Amino acid sequence: MIRSLKEFAVAHRRAVLMLAHAAIFAFVHWLAFALRFDVSADRPFFIDMHPKYVPLFAITLALALSIKMAAFAYFRLFSGWWRYVGISDAVNLAKAATISALVFAVAAYLFLSPFGYPRSILLLDWMLTILVVGGLRISIRALRERQLWDAVAPSARRVLIVGAGDAGETLAREILSRPRLNYAPVGFVDDDPSKHGSYIHGVRVLGGVDDIPDIAARLNASEALIAVPSAGGAAVKRIVEACNRAGIESRTLPGLESLIDGRVSVSALRKVSIEDLLRREPVRLDERAIEGLVRDKIVLVTGAGGSIGSEICRQTARFGPRGIVPVSYT
């Protein structure tokens, strides 16, 4: 029964999300009235207010629902996965809530003035919409990340991730989302002192490359994953030497150009080769030429559902394309 309901919800995800949001919006509007007029102590689930406001609540509920549903649909907030909520989703949520509140305020001024519509409800409804909807989305993502951590087997290999940049963050996310890789990230290593002590996906940045022997011994790490695709041969050699002193294995990500070309997966870690030690210096991209290539153009990005594809979408957006068409194979 539960499986059938889950399959139905996935198959009709957009409709289910719209119904869920409508219920949330109705609750928020009720809560705004309840806070404005106080909830009766002996009847906590009803609003103790003057009878003249009862029909006003019913009218404004229908108006608020229609405006909010239209605003949230415009910002595509019924299409995303809550477990992947990010900064862009939070910004769109704030925009949708603010625009719907402004439109509702204009409608209230034009049509509800004779009813004495309290202006404080507008502010309460706006604030509660952001807090309740945003809080639910963040809670679902936090629950998913907790489940991913719990799914890591106790026998998983304890690894250090060398590089607390974009590649390191992507690698940690990939490891946590794929328990079958049998890795458990126990710490980050980065030579940037400003990153020391910070956390990425719940994993702490513990020190620099020279600290690898001490960190590996303290955390019982058995392997180091080098997530610095742009590092030169000298930098890779220094990291490998630190791993050798610690008595742990070292694996590396492929070059950044291979990741972008899609020839390998982020999870395709391999042992450090002589080519890595002889790696040329990082290539500086001609951003002006890239901008000339994509500005005012519609760009198709395949594999956009993955971590690399989504990063390409974000990077491409910096150069002013007319539109980005993400395509995913899953």
Side-chain angles (χ1 to χ4, degrees), residues 313-325:
C313 289
R314 284 192 291 269
Q315 294 295 333
T316 302
R318 297 191 301 118
F319 299 104
R322 183 152 57 96
I324 297 177
V325 180

Side-chain angles (χ1 to χ4, degrees), residues 98-153:
T98 302
I99 290 175
S100 59
L102 292 174
V103 173
F104 188 86
V106 173
Y109 175 78
L110 294 176
F111 305 109
L112 302 177
S113 296
F115 296 93
Y117 187 76
R119 287 173 293 181
S120 57
I121 291 181
L122 293 171
L123 180 60
L124 287 170
D125 189 276
W126 171 74
M127 293 174 57
L128 290 170
T129 298
I130 295 177
L131 289 175
V132 174
V133 177
L136 282 173
R137 292 182 175 223
I138 292 173
S139 298
I140 289 175
R141 172 164 180 175
L143 178 62
R144 176 181 180 270
E145 291 186 352
R146 182 69 265 172
Q147 290 174 338
L148 292 175
W149 266 111
D150 294 340
V152 176

Side-chain angles (χ1 to χ4, degrees), residues 1-9:
M1 178 66 178
I2 296 177
R3 182 176 180 180
S4 298
L5 289 175
K6 184 177 180 180
E7 292 175 350
F8 177 83

Side-chain angles (χ1 to χ4, degrees), residues 198-222:
S198 60
Y199 288 82
I200 301 175
H201 297 300
V203 183
R204 190 177 184 183
V205 182
L206 299 168
V209 171
D210 294 332
D211 301 318
I212 288 178
D214 293 334
I215 295 172
R218 187 169 74 250
L219 299 179
N220 194 28
S222 60

